[in-house]
Amino acid sequence: MLGRITVGLSSGTSGNRGLFLVSGRERAKWVAAVWQKVLPKKMYKGKIAFFLRANSNLYTSVKSKRWQFHFFDLMQPLSEHLERLATLSPEVLVAPPSVLLRIAHRQAEGKVLIHPKKIISVAEVLEPADRKEMEAVFGQTVHQVYQCTEGFLASSCAFGVLHFHEDRLRIEKEYLPGNPACFYPIITDFNRITQPIVRYKLNDLVHERTTACPCGSVMLAIDHIEGRADDIFEFSGAGGQKKQVFPDFIRRVMLSSEAVQEYVVEQTAPAQLLIHIQAQNFEIACRELQEAFGQFFKENGLAECELIFNSDLPLLRDAKLRRIKRRFQED
Ligand SMILES: [Zn+2]
Protein backbone atom coordinates (compact mmCIF):
# COMPACT_ATOMS: atom_id res chain seq x y z
CA MET A 1 0.00 0.00 0.00
CA LEU A 2 1.18 3.51 -0.80
CA GLY A 3 -1.19 5.72 1.15
CA ARG A 4 -4.58 4.44 0.10
CA ILE A 5 -3.41 3.03 -3.20
CA THR A 6 -2.56 -0.63 -3.76
CA VAL A 7 0.60 -0.90 -5.83
CA GLY A 8 1.33 -4.14 -7.64
CA LEU A 9 3.86 -5.51 -10.07
CA SER A 10 2.84 -8.14 -12.53
CA SER A 11 4.35 -10.14 -15.31
CA GLY A 12 0.93 -10.51 -16.96
CA THR A 13 -0.36 -13.34 -19.08
CA SER A 14 1.80 -12.25 -21.97
CA GLY A 15 4.94 -12.00 -19.89
CA ASN A 16 5.37 -8.25 -20.13
CA ARG A 17 6.25 -6.30 -17.05
CA GLY A 18 3.58 -4.07 -15.65
CA LEU A 19 2.70 -1.88 -12.72
CA PHE A 20 -0.83 -1.50 -11.45
CA LEU A 21 -2.38 1.04 -9.13
CA VAL A 22 -5.85 0.67 -7.65
CA SER A 23 -7.72 2.69 -5.06
CA GLY A 24 -9.79 1.18 -2.24
CA ARG A 25 -12.97 1.82 -4.21
CA GLU A 26 -11.61 0.18 -7.33
CA ARG A 27 -10.40 -2.73 -5.28
CA ALA A 28 -13.87 -3.17 -3.78
CA LYS A 29 -15.36 -3.23 -7.27
CA TRP A 30 -12.75 -5.77 -8.36
CA VAL A 31 -13.63 -7.99 -5.40
CA ALA A 32 -17.33 -7.72 -6.24
CA ALA A 33 -16.62 -8.73 -9.83
CA VAL A 34 -14.53 -11.71 -8.70
CA TRP A 35 -17.33 -12.81 -6.38
CA GLN A 36 -19.93 -12.47 -9.08
CA LYS A 37 -17.99 -14.00 -11.94
CA VAL A 38 -15.55 -16.44 -10.43
CA LEU A 39 -16.76 -17.89 -7.15
CA PRO A 40 -19.14 -20.83 -7.56
CA LYS A 41 -22.78 -19.92 -8.04
CA LYS A 42 -25.14 -20.76 -5.18
CA MET A 43 -22.23 -21.20 -2.79
CA TYR A 44 -21.83 -18.56 -0.18
CA LYS A 45 -18.93 -19.78 1.88
CA GLY A 46 -15.94 -22.02 1.76
CA LYS A 47 -12.19 -22.22 1.54
CA ILE A 48 -10.13 -20.98 -1.38
CA ALA A 49 -6.69 -22.50 -1.96
CA PHE A 50 -4.58 -20.13 -4.01
CA PHE A 51 -1.21 -21.14 -5.52
CA LEU A 52 0.77 -18.07 -6.50
CA ARG A 53 4.28 -16.78 -6.87
CA ALA A 54 3.62 -14.01 -4.40
CA ASN A 55 0.76 -13.08 -2.17
CA SER A 56 -0.86 -9.69 -2.59
CA ASN A 57 -3.33 -7.74 -0.52
CA LEU A 58 -5.34 -7.43 -3.73
CA TYR A 59 -5.98 -11.17 -3.75
CA THR A 60 -6.49 -11.61 -0.03
CA SER A 61 -9.08 -8.82 -0.15
CA VAL A 62 -11.41 -11.41 -1.70
CA LYS A 63 -11.61 -13.10 1.70
CA SER A 64 -14.56 -12.40 3.92
CA LYS A 65 -16.34 -13.93 6.90
CA ARG A 66 -17.62 -16.56 4.52
CA TRP A 67 -14.72 -17.13 2.17
CA GLN A 68 -11.42 -18.10 3.74
CA PHE A 69 -8.34 -17.51 1.72
CA HIS A 70 -5.35 -19.89 1.94
CA PHE A 71 -2.14 -18.94 0.18
CA PHE A 72 0.28 -21.59 -1.11
CA ASP A 73 3.69 -20.22 -2.01
CA LEU A 74 4.86 -21.58 -5.37
CA MET A 75 8.48 -21.31 -4.33
CA GLN A 76 7.98 -24.11 -1.80
CA PRO A 77 8.11 -27.60 -3.30
CA LEU A 78 4.67 -28.90 -4.20
CA SER A 79 5.24 -32.05 -2.15
CA GLU A 80 5.30 -29.90 1.00
CA HIS A 81 1.95 -28.37 0.10
CA LEU A 82 0.04 -31.55 -0.68
CA GLU A 83 -0.63 -32.60 2.89
CA ARG A 84 -1.86 -29.14 3.82
CA LEU A 85 -3.99 -29.07 0.69
CA ALA A 86 -5.57 -32.43 1.50
CA THR A 87 -6.27 -31.41 5.12
CA LEU A 88 -7.74 -28.11 3.98
CA SER A 89 -9.92 -29.78 1.34
CA PRO A 90 -10.77 -26.49 -0.38
CA GLU A 91 -14.04 -25.76 -2.14
CA VAL A 92 -12.18 -23.64 -4.67
CA LEU A 93 -8.75 -24.41 -6.07
CA VAL A 94 -6.90 -21.65 -7.94
CA ALA A 95 -3.49 -22.26 -9.52
CA PRO A 96 -1.47 -21.99 -12.71
CA PRO A 97 -2.18 -24.92 -15.07
CA SER A 98 1.32 -26.36 -14.59
CA VAL A 99 0.55 -26.71 -10.87
CA LEU A 100 -3.01 -27.96 -11.40
CA LEU A 101 -1.67 -30.68 -13.66
CA ARG A 102 0.74 -31.85 -10.97
CA ILE A 103 -2.00 -31.89 -8.36
CA ALA A 104 -4.18 -33.87 -10.79
CA HIS A 105 -1.39 -36.43 -11.22
CA ARG A 106 -1.08 -36.86 -7.44
CA GLN A 107 -4.84 -37.18 -7.16
CA ALA A 108 -4.85 -39.84 -9.89
CA GLU A 109 -2.12 -41.72 -8.01
CA GLY A 110 -4.19 -41.52 -4.84
CA LYS A 111 -1.53 -39.48 -3.05
CA VAL A 112 -3.87 -36.59 -2.44
CA LEU A 113 -7.64 -36.65 -2.28
CA ILE A 114 -9.51 -33.39 -2.66
CA HIS A 115 -13.01 -32.61 -3.91
CA PRO A 116 -13.07 -28.99 -5.02
CA LYS A 117 -16.37 -27.62 -6.30
CA LYS A 118 -14.58 -25.31 -8.67
CA ILE A 119 -11.10 -25.41 -10.21
CA ILE A 120 -9.71 -22.25 -11.76
CA SER A 121 -6.63 -21.99 -13.93
CA VAL A 122 -4.78 -18.65 -13.76
CA ALA A 123 -1.57 -16.87 -14.77
CA GLU A 124 -0.62 -19.14 -17.66
CA VAL A 125 -2.39 -20.29 -20.77
CA LEU A 126 -4.33 -23.49 -20.28
CA GLU A 127 -3.48 -26.00 -22.99
CA PRO A 128 -6.41 -28.12 -24.28
CA ALA A 129 -4.59 -31.43 -23.68
CA ASP A 130 -3.75 -30.50 -20.07
CA ARG A 131 -7.29 -29.35 -19.50
CA LYS A 132 -8.70 -32.63 -20.75
CA GLU A 133 -6.44 -34.58 -18.42
CA MET A 134 -7.36 -32.49 -15.36
CA GLU A 135 -11.06 -32.65 -16.15
CA ALA A 136 -10.87 -36.44 -16.41
CA VAL A 137 -9.20 -36.72 -12.98
CA PHE A 138 -11.47 -34.27 -11.16
CA GLY A 139 -14.64 -35.06 -13.11
CA GLN A 140 -15.51 -31.41 -13.69
CA THR A 141 -14.95 -28.44 -15.97
CA VAL A 142 -11.69 -26.60 -15.38
CA HIS A 143 -12.37 -22.87 -15.39
CA GLN A 144 -10.13 -20.02 -16.39
CA VAL A 145 -9.54 -16.44 -15.41
CA TYR A 146 -7.74 -14.07 -17.73
CA GLN A 147 -6.37 -11.32 -15.56
CA CYS A 148 -3.32 -9.13 -15.87
CA THR A 149 -1.98 -5.72 -14.96
CA GLU A 150 -4.34 -4.22 -17.46
CA GLY A 151 -7.34 -5.61 -15.63
CA PHE A 152 -9.75 -8.41 -14.91
CA LEU A 153 -10.36 -9.26 -18.54
CA ALA A 154 -12.25 -12.51 -18.92
CA SER A 155 -13.52 -15.51 -17.02
CA SER A 156 -15.21 -18.74 -18.03
CA CYS A 157 -18.94 -19.44 -17.98
CA ALA A 158 -20.66 -22.62 -16.79
CA PHE A 159 -19.53 -24.31 -20.00
CA GLY A 160 -15.90 -23.47 -19.36
CA VAL A 161 -15.77 -20.97 -22.22
CA LEU A 162 -13.89 -17.72 -21.59
CA HIS A 163 -15.92 -14.57 -22.16
CA PHE A 164 -14.47 -11.07 -22.15
CA HIS A 165 -16.02 -8.92 -19.42
CA GLU A 166 -17.72 -6.59 -21.84
CA ASP A 167 -19.88 -5.31 -19.00
CA ARG A 168 -16.69 -3.77 -17.55
CA LEU A 169 -14.52 -3.28 -20.61
CA ARG A 170 -14.64 -2.17 -24.19
CA ILE A 171 -12.77 -4.57 -26.44
CA GLU A 172 -11.53 -3.42 -29.81
CA LYS A 173 -9.85 -5.88 -32.11
CA GLU A 174 -6.73 -5.52 -34.16
CA TYR A 175 -7.05 -8.47 -36.49
CA LEU A 176 -4.09 -10.36 -37.83
CA PRO A 177 -3.99 -9.75 -41.58
CA GLY A 178 -5.64 -12.62 -43.40
CA ASN A 179 -7.03 -14.17 -40.24
CA PRO A 180 -10.56 -13.03 -39.46
CA ALA A 181 -10.84 -14.83 -36.12
CA CYS A 182 -7.53 -13.91 -34.55
CA PHE A 183 -6.80 -10.53 -32.97
CA TYR A 184 -4.85 -8.49 -30.45
CA PRO A 185 -7.33 -6.99 -27.98
CA ILE A 186 -7.28 -3.26 -27.38
CA ILE A 187 -8.94 -2.63 -24.05
CA THR A 188 -10.59 0.26 -22.30
CA ASP A 189 -11.56 -0.39 -18.69
CA PHE A 190 -14.55 1.57 -17.38
CA ASN A 191 -13.71 0.84 -13.75
CA ARG A 192 -10.19 2.21 -13.53
CA ILE A 193 -9.70 5.84 -12.57
CA THR A 194 -6.51 5.84 -10.49
CA GLN A 195 -4.64 4.36 -13.43
CA PRO A 196 -6.82 4.79 -16.49
CA ILE A 197 -6.58 2.01 -19.05
CA VAL A 198 -7.66 3.54 -22.32
CA ARG A 199 -7.26 1.84 -25.69
CA TYR A 200 -4.42 -0.28 -24.40
CA LYS A 201 -3.19 -2.97 -26.80
CA LEU A 202 -2.33 -6.34 -25.32
CA ASN A 203 0.35 -8.66 -26.63
CA ASP A 204 -1.80 -11.77 -26.32
CA LEU A 205 -3.14 -13.22 -29.51
CA VAL A 206 -6.79 -14.09 -28.97
CA HIS A 207 -8.64 -16.61 -31.13
CA GLU A 208 -12.30 -15.75 -31.23
CA ARG A 209 -14.88 -18.47 -30.84
CA THR A 210 -16.75 -18.73 -34.10
CA THR A 211 -19.87 -20.50 -32.85
CA ALA A 212 -22.29 -19.14 -30.23
CA CYS A 213 -21.62 -20.29 -26.68
CA PRO A 214 -24.36 -22.57 -25.32
CA CYS A 215 -24.55 -20.41 -22.16
CA GLY A 216 -26.28 -17.70 -24.20
CA SER A 217 -24.03 -14.85 -23.04
CA VAL A 218 -23.64 -12.05 -25.56
CA MET A 219 -20.19 -11.21 -24.24
CA LEU A 220 -17.37 -11.96 -26.66
CA ALA A 221 -16.34 -15.61 -26.35
CA ILE A 222 -12.73 -16.72 -26.68
CA ASP A 223 -11.78 -20.00 -28.29
CA HIS A 224 -8.25 -19.85 -26.93
CA ILE A 225 -5.44 -17.46 -26.16
CA GLU A 226 -2.20 -18.12 -27.90
CA GLY A 227 0.22 -17.57 -25.18
CA ARG A 228 2.81 -19.20 -23.19
CA ALA A 229 3.05 -22.87 -22.58
CA ASP A 230 6.27 -22.56 -20.71
CA ASP A 231 8.14 -25.32 -19.00
CA ILE A 232 9.02 -25.95 -15.40
CA PHE A 233 12.76 -25.85 -14.78
CA GLU A 234 14.56 -28.27 -12.57
CA PHE A 235 17.64 -27.22 -10.60
CA SER A 236 19.74 -28.79 -7.88
CA GLY A 237 19.31 -27.54 -4.34
CA ALA A 238 22.40 -26.66 -2.34
CA GLY A 239 22.21 -30.13 -0.73
CA GLY A 240 22.00 -31.88 -4.12
CA GLN A 241 18.23 -32.50 -4.01
CA LYS A 242 16.12 -31.62 -7.04
CA LYS A 243 14.12 -28.40 -6.96
CA GLN A 244 11.47 -27.34 -9.42
CA VAL A 245 11.12 -23.74 -10.46
CA PHE A 246 7.95 -22.55 -12.14
CA PRO A 247 8.19 -20.41 -15.31
CA ASP A 248 6.75 -17.39 -13.56
CA PHE A 249 9.92 -17.07 -11.45
CA ILE A 250 12.23 -17.20 -14.44
CA ARG A 251 10.05 -14.66 -16.19
CA ARG A 252 10.37 -12.36 -13.22
CA VAL A 253 14.16 -12.60 -13.15
CA MET A 254 14.29 -11.88 -16.89
CA LEU A 255 12.04 -8.84 -16.52
CA SER A 256 14.18 -7.45 -13.70
CA SER A 257 16.61 -6.15 -16.31
CA GLU A 258 15.24 -3.00 -17.91
CA ALA A 259 17.55 -3.51 -20.88
CA VAL A 260 15.88 -6.74 -22.00
CA GLN A 261 13.30 -6.23 -24.73
CA GLU A 262 12.54 -9.80 -25.74
CA TYR A 263 13.83 -13.12 -24.50
CA VAL A 264 13.84 -16.89 -24.67
CA VAL A 265 15.39 -18.92 -21.87
CA GLU A 266 16.27 -22.56 -22.42
CA GLN A 267 17.42 -24.90 -19.72
CA THR A 268 19.83 -27.09 -21.61
CA ALA A 269 21.15 -29.08 -18.63
CA PRO A 270 20.40 -29.16 -14.89
CA ALA A 271 23.08 -26.52 -14.27
CA GLN A 272 23.03 -24.62 -17.55
CA LEU A 273 20.79 -21.94 -19.01
CA LEU A 274 20.95 -20.67 -22.55
CA ILE A 275 19.58 -17.13 -22.54
CA HIS A 276 18.66 -15.50 -25.83
CA ILE A 277 18.00 -11.80 -25.57
CA GLN A 278 17.21 -8.87 -27.69
CA ALA A 279 18.37 -5.79 -25.82
CA GLN A 280 19.14 -2.15 -26.31
CA ASN A 281 22.53 -2.81 -24.81
CA PHE A 282 23.50 -6.47 -24.84
CA GLU A 283 26.45 -6.10 -22.42
CA ILE A 284 24.41 -4.27 -19.80
CA ALA A 285 21.55 -6.77 -20.08
CA CYS A 286 23.96 -9.70 -19.62
CA ARG A 287 25.55 -8.11 -16.56
CA GLU A 288 22.18 -7.35 -14.98
CA LEU A 289 20.85 -10.83 -15.65
CA GLN A 290 24.01 -12.48 -14.36
CA GLU A 291 23.51 -10.58 -11.13
CA ALA A 292 19.75 -11.20 -10.94
CA PHE A 293 20.10 -14.95 -11.52
CA GLY A 294 22.96 -15.14 -9.00
CA GLN A 295 20.75 -13.55 -6.39
CA PHE A 296 17.78 -15.72 -7.32
CA PHE A 297 19.82 -18.93 -6.95
CA LYS A 298 21.23 -17.75 -3.63
CA GLU A 299 17.90 -16.64 -2.16
CA ASN A 300 16.25 -19.92 -3.07
CA GLY A 301 19.01 -22.25 -1.97
CA LEU A 302 19.82 -23.43 -5.49
CA ALA A 303 23.22 -24.50 -6.75
CA GLU A 304 24.97 -22.09 -9.12
CA CYS A 305 24.18 -22.46 -12.78
CA GLU A 306 26.18 -21.65 -15.89
CA LEU A 307 24.56 -18.88 -17.95
CA ILE A 308 25.26 -18.70 -21.67
CA PHE A 309 24.10 -15.52 -23.38
CA ASN A 310 23.14 -15.22 -27.00
CA SER A 311 22.18 -12.03 -28.81
CA ASP A 312 20.24 -13.97 -31.45
CA LEU A 313 16.61 -14.54 -30.72
CA PRO A 314 15.05 -17.75 -32.00
CA LEU A 315 11.79 -17.17 -33.85
CA LEU A 316 9.10 -16.64 -31.24
CA ARG A 317 6.01 -16.80 -33.38
CA ASP A 318 5.90 -20.54 -33.68
CA ALA A 319 2.78 -22.52 -32.88
CA LYS A 320 3.29 -21.89 -29.19
CA LEU A 321 4.78 -18.77 -27.78
CA ARG A 322 7.22 -20.44 -25.45
CA ARG A 323 9.72 -18.18 -23.84
CA ILE A 324 10.84 -20.60 -21.17
CA LYS A 325 11.76 -24.05 -22.38
CA ARG A 326 13.41 -27.06 -20.82
CA ARG A 327 15.50 -28.99 -23.31
CA PHE A 328 16.30 -32.08 -21.30
CA GLN A 329 14.08 -34.80 -19.88
CA GLU A 330 13.11 -35.07 -16.26
CA ASP A 331 14.07 -38.37 -14.74
ZN1 LIG B 1 -20.48 -19.21 -22.32
Side-chain angles (χ1 to χ4, degrees), residues 157 161 163 213 215:
C157 66
V161 174
H163 291 269
C213 182
C215 77

Side-chain angles (χ1 to χ4, degrees), residues 20-301:
F20 64 85
L21 303 170
V22 287
S23 67
R25 189 181 161 81
E26 287 163 301
R27 192 165 75 174
K29 281 184 166 179
W30 180 86
V31 171
V34 170
W35 276 46
Q36 183 218 349
K37 294 178 187 295
V38 181
L39 292 185
K41 304 271 178 285
K42 297 191 183 113
M43 261 191 79
Y44 302 100
K45 59 177 187 178
K47 291 158 285 183
I48 307 171
F50 209 118
F51 287 77
L52 266 188
R53 177 171 41 67
N55 204 353
S56 156
N57 63 18
L58 183 63
Y59 299 122
T60 49
S61 59
V62 174
K63 78 168 190 265
S64 68
K65 277 182 199 146
R66 290 173 171 165
W67 287 104
Q68 288 172 29
F69 195 96
H70 298 265
F71 172 66
F72 290 77
D73 183 351
L74 274 185
M75 204 55 230
Q76 304 299 324
L78 193 60
S79 54
E80 287 176 19
H81 287 316
L82 290 176
E83 200 175 325
R84 188 176 146 225
L85 183 68
T87 312
L88 182 67
S89 192
E91 278 75 25
V92 181
L93 173 61
V94 184
S98 50
V99 177
L100 288 177
L101 193 63
R102 273 155 199 268
I103 296 173
H105 289 158
R106 302 299 187 282
Q107 177 103 350
E109 290 162 5
K111 288 182 184 152
V112 56
L113 201 59
I114 54 171
H115 307 281
K117 301 279 185 292
K118 188 160 183 177
I119 298 174
I120 303 161
S121 162
V122 292
E124 294 164 16
V125 169
L126 176 62
E127 293 296 318
D130 294 345
R131 178 183 203 156
K132 228 170 139 185
E133 200 176 337
M134 293 175 214
E135 291 184 342
V137 172
F138 288 104
Q140 61 186 288
T141 302
V142 171
H143 288 273
Q144 294 178 76
V145 164
Y146 178 23
Q147 141 102 31
C148 58
T149 320
E150 294 80 22
F152 181 38
L153 304 180
S155 54
S156 54
C157 66
F159 293 86
V161 174
L162 270 176
H163 291 269
F164 270 112
H165 297 150
E166 287 186 291
D167 50 345
R168 300 169 52 84
L169 311 163
R170 171 176 158 81
I171 310 287
E172 294 169 86
K173 305 167 186 171
E174 185 181 307
Y175 283 107
L176 267 197
N179 196 334
C182 193
F183 63 89
Y184 292 102
I186 300 169
I187 56 167
T188 299
D189 191 328
F190 302 126
N191 291 280
R192 304 276 294 273
I193 293 163
T194 309
Q195 179 188 17
I197 303 286
V198 179
R199 303 206 70 229
Y200 188 95
K201 184 183 159 187
L202 299 179
N203 268 330
D204 298 333
L205 205 46
V206 172
H207 292 252
E208 203 170 328
R209 192 181 154 101
T210 47
T211 51
C213 182
C215 77
S217 170
V218 294
M219 291 192 235
L220 183 62
I222 299 170
D223 184 72
H224 66 280
I225 299 163
E226 198 172 301
R228 32 191 228 226
D230 294 334
D231 292 334
I232 298 171
F233 281 3
E234 201 175 277
F235 295 105
S236 295
Q241 78 283 21
K242 271 191 232 164
K243 282 190 114 173
Q244 290 179 331
V245 173
F246 288 95
D248 216 19
F249 291 93
I250 303 298
R251 204 153 27 237
R252 202 170 158 83
V253 175
M254 290 307 295
L255 294 179
S256 70
S257 165
E258 293 279 334
V260 174
Q261 291 164 320
E262 193 51 273
Y263 63 89
V264 171
V265 185
E266 297 177 280
Q267 188 178 21
T268 38
Q272 189 183 71
L273 297 182
L274 179 56
I275 301 173
H276 310 268
I277 43 176
Q278 186 188 325
Q280 271 163 337
N281 185 321
F282 183 71
E283 279 72 36
I284 291 179
C286 293
R287 203 175 331 122
E288 287 180 349
L289 289 174
Q290 191 84 46
E291 207 166 287
F293 270 106
Q295 196 177 344
F296 175 77
F297 292 133
K298 206 164 125 195
E299 277 172 6
N300 294 291

